[in-house]
Amino acid sequence: PVTPTTTGPATGLPANAPMPPYTFEPGPRQGDWEATISGSGTSANKFDSNRIGLSGSIGYYALKWLPVSLRQGLAFGFGDKERNGWSGTTGLFVDGQWNDGNWFQPFIGIGFGGTYGRRAEQGLSIIPEAGAKMYVNESTFVQLRTGWNWRVTGDNTGFDDGDLVYSLGVGWNF
Protein backbone atom coordinates (compact mmCIF):
# COMPACT_ATOMS: atom_id res chain seq x y z
CA PRO A 1 0.00 0.00 0.00
CA VAL A 2 1.09 3.58 -0.74
CA THR A 3 1.02 6.03 2.15
CA PRO A 4 0.30 9.71 1.38
CA THR A 5 3.06 12.13 2.25
CA THR A 6 2.15 14.77 4.82
CA THR A 7 3.39 18.29 4.36
CA GLY A 8 4.24 21.06 6.77
CA PRO A 9 2.06 24.11 7.28
CA ALA A 10 1.43 25.94 3.97
CA THR A 11 4.96 25.44 2.66
CA GLY A 12 4.53 22.45 0.41
CA LEU A 13 7.62 20.91 2.03
CA PRO A 14 7.60 17.44 3.59
CA ALA A 15 6.84 17.55 7.30
CA ASN A 16 10.42 16.88 8.44
CA ALA A 17 12.21 18.96 5.79
CA PRO A 18 14.30 21.88 7.06
CA MET A 19 13.14 25.38 6.19
CA PRO A 20 15.42 27.19 3.76
CA PRO A 21 17.40 29.98 5.43
CA TYR A 22 15.96 33.46 5.26
CA THR A 23 18.37 36.09 3.95
CA PHE A 24 17.68 39.72 4.87
CA GLU A 25 18.18 41.86 1.77
CA PRO A 26 16.99 45.45 2.11
CA GLY A 27 16.35 47.51 -0.96
CA PRO A 28 14.56 47.28 -4.25
CA ARG A 29 14.65 44.67 -6.96
CA GLN A 30 14.34 45.23 -10.69
CA GLY A 31 10.70 45.96 -11.52
CA ASP A 32 9.85 47.40 -8.08
CA TRP A 33 8.09 50.72 -7.63
CA GLU A 34 9.05 53.37 -5.09
CA ALA A 35 7.12 56.19 -3.43
CA THR A 36 8.60 58.93 -1.23
CA ILE A 37 7.40 61.89 0.79
CA SER A 38 9.86 64.45 2.14
CA GLY A 39 10.25 67.76 3.85
CA SER A 40 12.25 69.90 1.44
CA GLY A 41 14.01 73.21 1.20
CA THR A 42 15.69 75.54 -1.28
CA SER A 43 18.30 78.18 -0.51
CA ALA A 44 19.56 80.83 -2.92
CA ASN A 45 21.55 84.06 -2.85
CA LYS A 46 23.93 82.88 -0.12
CA PHE A 47 21.00 81.75 2.07
CA ASP A 48 19.27 85.17 1.84
CA SER A 49 16.32 83.64 0.01
CA ASN A 50 14.87 80.42 1.44
CA ARG A 51 11.83 78.22 0.85
CA ILE A 52 10.57 75.20 2.78
CA GLY A 53 7.93 72.73 1.70
CA LEU A 54 7.02 69.18 0.80
CA SER A 55 7.95 66.94 -2.09
CA GLY A 56 6.80 63.55 -3.22
CA SER A 57 7.84 61.13 -5.92
CA ILE A 58 6.85 57.95 -7.66
CA GLY A 59 9.52 55.87 -9.34
CA TYR A 60 10.22 52.62 -11.14
CA TYR A 61 13.38 50.48 -10.92
CA ALA A 62 14.35 49.81 -14.54
CA LEU A 63 17.30 47.87 -13.07
CA LYS A 64 17.99 46.90 -9.46
CA TRP A 65 20.28 49.94 -9.15
CA LEU A 66 18.54 52.38 -11.56
CA PRO A 67 15.38 54.15 -10.37
CA VAL A 68 13.60 56.57 -12.73
CA SER A 69 11.36 58.95 -10.76
CA LEU A 70 8.83 61.70 -11.30
CA ARG A 71 9.07 64.23 -8.48
CA GLN A 72 6.71 67.05 -7.47
CA GLY A 73 7.42 69.75 -4.89
CA LEU A 74 5.62 72.71 -3.36
CA ALA A 75 7.45 75.26 -1.20
CA PHE A 76 6.68 78.54 0.54
CA GLY A 77 9.19 81.34 0.99
CA PHE A 78 10.35 83.31 3.99
CA GLY A 79 12.73 86.21 4.41
CA ASP A 80 12.62 89.77 3.04
CA LYS A 81 12.83 88.75 -0.62
CA GLU A 82 10.41 85.85 -0.32
CA ARG A 83 7.40 87.32 1.49
CA ASN A 84 4.17 85.70 0.20
CA GLY A 85 6.13 83.70 -2.35
CA TRP A 86 5.60 80.10 -3.32
CA SER A 87 7.08 77.77 -5.90
CA GLY A 88 6.27 74.47 -7.49
CA THR A 89 8.74 72.12 -9.11
CA THR A 90 8.20 69.12 -11.35
CA GLY A 91 11.07 66.97 -12.56
CA LEU A 92 12.13 63.65 -14.02
CA PHE A 93 15.14 62.06 -12.28
CA VAL A 94 17.48 59.13 -12.97
CA ASP A 95 19.76 57.92 -10.17
CA GLY A 96 22.50 55.34 -9.88
CA GLN A 97 22.01 53.61 -6.51
CA TRP A 98 24.67 51.46 -4.86
CA ASN A 99 22.25 48.63 -4.15
CA ASP A 100 24.44 45.86 -2.81
CA GLY A 101 21.88 44.52 -0.34
CA ASN A 102 23.12 46.56 2.64
CA TRP A 103 20.93 48.83 4.77
CA PHE A 104 22.91 51.94 3.66
CA GLN A 105 22.55 52.72 -0.07
CA PRO A 106 24.06 55.97 -1.41
CA PHE A 107 23.02 57.33 -4.81
CA ILE A 108 24.01 59.97 -7.34
CA GLY A 109 21.93 61.18 -10.24
CA ILE A 110 20.56 63.91 -12.43
CA GLY A 111 17.17 65.42 -13.10
CA PHE A 112 15.51 67.75 -15.55
CA GLY A 113 12.49 69.81 -14.64
CA GLY A 114 10.73 73.11 -14.28
CA THR A 115 10.10 75.70 -11.58
CA TYR A 116 7.05 77.97 -11.45
CA GLY A 117 5.20 80.08 -8.89
CA ARG A 118 4.84 83.48 -7.30
CA ARG A 119 8.14 85.30 -6.77
CA ALA A 120 9.96 82.26 -8.08
CA GLU A 121 12.63 82.29 -10.78
CA GLN A 122 10.67 80.36 -13.36
CA GLY A 123 12.27 78.20 -16.01
CA LEU A 124 13.79 74.85 -16.83
CA SER A 125 16.61 73.36 -14.76
CA ILE A 126 19.15 70.57 -14.71
CA ILE A 127 19.55 69.21 -11.18
CA PRO A 128 22.60 67.08 -10.30
CA GLU A 129 21.95 65.36 -6.94
CA ALA A 130 23.38 62.95 -4.39
CA GLY A 131 22.11 61.34 -1.24
CA ALA A 132 21.59 58.15 0.72
CA LYS A 133 18.80 55.78 1.64
CA MET A 134 18.97 54.06 5.02
CA TYR A 135 16.69 51.01 5.10
CA VAL A 136 14.86 50.25 8.34
CA ASN A 137 13.47 47.01 6.91
CA GLU A 138 13.44 45.38 3.48
CA SER A 139 11.17 47.95 1.87
CA THR A 140 11.04 51.10 4.06
CA PHE A 141 13.81 53.68 4.14
CA VAL A 142 14.77 57.13 5.39
CA GLN A 143 16.27 59.29 2.65
CA LEU A 144 18.58 62.31 2.74
CA ARG A 145 19.10 64.12 -0.57
CA THR A 146 20.83 67.30 -1.76
CA GLY A 147 21.27 68.81 -5.18
CA TRP A 148 21.99 71.93 -7.20
CA ASN A 149 19.13 73.48 -9.19
CA TRP A 150 20.99 74.84 -12.22
CA ARG A 151 18.62 76.95 -14.33
CA VAL A 152 19.13 76.63 -18.09
CA THR A 153 16.34 79.08 -19.04
CA GLY A 154 15.16 82.30 -17.42
CA ASP A 155 16.97 85.36 -16.10
CA ASN A 156 19.88 83.76 -14.19
CA THR A 157 21.18 80.79 -16.16
CA GLY A 158 24.76 80.42 -14.92
CA PHE A 159 25.79 77.44 -12.82
CA ASP A 160 26.78 79.88 -10.03
CA ASP A 161 23.23 81.33 -10.06
CA GLY A 162 21.66 78.00 -9.09
CA ASP A 163 19.91 77.06 -5.87
CA LEU A 164 20.84 74.51 -3.20
CA VAL A 165 18.00 72.00 -2.79
CA TYR A 166 17.75 69.49 0.05
CA SER A 167 15.25 67.09 1.56
CA LEU A 168 14.73 64.55 4.32
CA GLY A 169 11.96 62.01 4.06
CA VAL A 170 10.71 58.44 4.02
CA GLY A 171 10.05 56.02 1.19
CA TRP A 172 8.72 52.58 0.37
CA ASN A 173 9.53 50.01 -2.29
CA PHE A 174 6.59 47.92 -3.48
Side-chain angles (χ1 to χ4, degrees):
V2 176
T3 357
T5 307
T6 58
T7 60
T11 63
L13 297 174
N16 296 331
M19 286 294 293
Y22 171 73
T23 305
F24 176 72
E25 185 180 339
R29 286 138 182 91
Q30 182 175 351
D32 279 359
W33 287 86
E34 175 179 281
T36 66
I37 186 144
S38 303
S40 60
T42 303
S43 297
N45 300 326
K46 299 179 182 173
F47 291 93
D48 289 342
S49 176
N50 301 291
R51 293 175 185 258
I52 57 172
L54 293 173
S55 66
S57 71
I58 186 78
Y60 179 76
Y61 280 84
L63 299 171
K64 180 179 178 175
W65 55 271
L66 188 69
V68 178
S69 303
L70 179 64
R71 197 174 303 153
Q72 177 66 47
L74 180 62
F76 297 93
F78 60 95
D80 292 340
K81 295 181 181 181
E82 294 290 327
R83 196 172 316 263
N84 298 321
W86 65 273
S87 66
T89 57
T90 304
L92 183 64
F93 290 80
V94 177
D95 293 320
Q97 182 172 321
W98 279 266
N99 184 354
D100 57 359
N102 289 322
W103 67 274
F104 180 78
Q105 297 184 10
F107 61 89
I108 188 167
I110 193 151
F112 180 77
T115 302
Y116 44 89
R118 183 172 185 214
R119 295 190 180 182
E121 289 195 42
Q122 301 183 36
L124 298 176
S125 299
I126 295 172
I127 306 110
E129 66 177 6
K133 297 175 182 175
M134 286 74 62
Y135 279 82
V136 296
N137 63 32
E138 287 188 334
S139 62
T140 306
F141 58 87
V142 175
Q143 176 177 267
L144 177 63
R145 179 178 50 237
T146 188
W148 187 255
N149 188 358
W150 172 25
R151 287 180 290 282
V152 294
T153 64
D155 295 334
N156 298 316
T157 58
F159 187 80
D160 293 342
D161 294 323
D163 302 330
L164 177 66
V165 293
Y166 39 88
S167 69
L168 176 63
V170 296
W172 303 268
N173 299 122
F174 53 95

